[in-house]
């Protein structure tokens, strides 16, 4: 029992044993006699009961406080499967009502979160390449944070925005490389999820936890716009997860793909050339995604030619194009409430 509880418990006992029938006030040192105050036995019993109840209350309150403190500090490791999972979510209902953040706990500035009820020793960075899709980004961030928190992950979301004229082709692979590089400047991460902004996972049993080294994971296997039919085994686009070690080993994404398509297929070829095994979650229904509506992107007319060139001498092409040849300019770095937002300038002549 805490000191306060002990004091509350001992005080009434002293009253009972000090005066069994009456209690008189004593003469004050150096002063006059205080007026006598008679307290009958029934009064003493009432006082005793009241103080005993207070002692019990404080004891249980403080014990509960210690338990809450242990939960807050997260003394135990998080379980392999979180007890907070909901399973499948009707994403269509969510997208119509995604007006506010609904996470379990306040985020740290920059879109970072650590579970409060347990500890995890692996840190995840989610990298989102982005340009000119503000409404989609709002829905995505407000949806994904609660999703990741229910999985009890230690994570940060990075949004990498390509600035400049909208007529300039979008380079998804280069933005992923920039997000990877800049994230590691801020914190050490064990793994990365590379995530398109228009894809929402429907089932929180689709784990975003770090994969094993040597086993990159393709997460967005079944998408509603394709009637949830499994995407081909050679596909690695949409949402994928790699350890930091594996991403460095393949020199990241190629920087050569300007416009839609090609960079994810090239990354798959890089993984295969390093004898890495691509994994996918089972059962299939847990890997379903909803694609948010958007205008169709203009395909990259050079994607097939670049893929063929890289496949001709995969090892040489991989080491000559990627993280080690990455060039860009950081225009701004903003730590927002739901993400770390990186504004970059990239040009074709850089690569």
């Amino acid at each position: 029992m805490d000191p306060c509880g002990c004091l509350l418990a001992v005080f009434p006992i002293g009253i009972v044993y000090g005066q069994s029938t009456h209690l008189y006030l004593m003469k004050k040192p150096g002063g006059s006699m205080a007026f006598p105050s008679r307290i009958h036995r029934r009064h003493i019993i009432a006082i005793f009961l009241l103080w005993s109840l207070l002692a019990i209350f404080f004891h249980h309150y403080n014990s509960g406080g210690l338990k809450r403190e242990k939960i807050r500090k997260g003394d135990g490791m998080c379980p392999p499967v979180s007890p907070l999972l909901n399973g499948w979510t009707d994403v269509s209902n969510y997208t119509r009502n995604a007006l506010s953040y609904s996470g379990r706990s306040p985020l740290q500035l920059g879109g970072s979160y650590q579970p409060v009820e347990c500890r995890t020793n692996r840190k995840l960075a989610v990298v989102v390449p982005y340009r000119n899709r503000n409404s989609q980004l709002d829905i995505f961030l407000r949806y994904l944070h609660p999703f990741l928190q229910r999985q009890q992950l230690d994570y940060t979301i990075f949004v990498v925005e390509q600035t400049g004229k909208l007529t300039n082709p979008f380079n998804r692979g280069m933005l992923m490389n920039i997000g990877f590089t800049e994230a590691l400047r801020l914190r050490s991460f064990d793994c990365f999820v590379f995530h398109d902004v228009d894809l929402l996972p429907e089932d929180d049993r689709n784990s975003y936890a770090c994969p094993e080294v040597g086993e990159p994971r393709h997460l967005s296997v079944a998408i509603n716009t394709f009637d949830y039919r499994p995407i081909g085994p050679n596909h690695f686009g949409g949402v994928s997860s790699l350890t930091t070690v594996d991403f460095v080993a393949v020199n990241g994404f190629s920087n050569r793909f300007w416009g839609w398509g090609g960079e994810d297929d090239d990354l798959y070829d890089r993984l295969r050339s390093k004898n890495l095994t691509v994994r996918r979650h089972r059962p299939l229904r847990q890997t379903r995604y909803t694609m948010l509506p958007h205008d169709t992107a203009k395909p990259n007319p050079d994607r097939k030619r670049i893929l063929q060139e890289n496949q001709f001498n995969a090892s040489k092409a991989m080491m000559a194009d990627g993280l080690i040849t990455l060039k860009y300019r950081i225009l701004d770095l903003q730590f927002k409430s739901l993400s770390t937002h990186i504004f970059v300038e990239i040009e074709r002549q850089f690569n």
Side-chain angles (χ1 to χ4, degrees), residues 84-88 147 150-151 202-207:
L84 307 176
L85 301 180
N86 293 335
W88 181 79
F147 176 91
R150 292 196 301 272
Q151 295 188 5
E202 297 181 6
D203 197 314
D204 56 17
R205 291 170 294 183
N206 184 0
S207 176

Side-chain angles (χ1 to χ4, degrees), residues 256-301:
R256 299 178 63 192
F257 292 90
W258 294 87
W260 180 86
E263 77 289 330
D264 47 358
D265 296 320
D266 183 81
L267 180 60
Y268 182 83
D269 291 338
R270 293 177 179 226
L271 299 176
R272 293 295 301 272
S273 70
K274 287 291 185 178
N275 296 318
L276 305 181
T277 303
V278 174
R279 302 291 187 185
R280 292 175 174 85
H281 287 311
R282 294 289 185 272
L284 182 65
R285 64 178 177 272
Q286 294 181 8
T287 65
R288 291 185 170 190
Y289 282 74
T290 292
M291 180 177 289
L292 299 175
H294 58 83
D295 295 334
T296 303
K298 183 179 180 180
N300 175 9

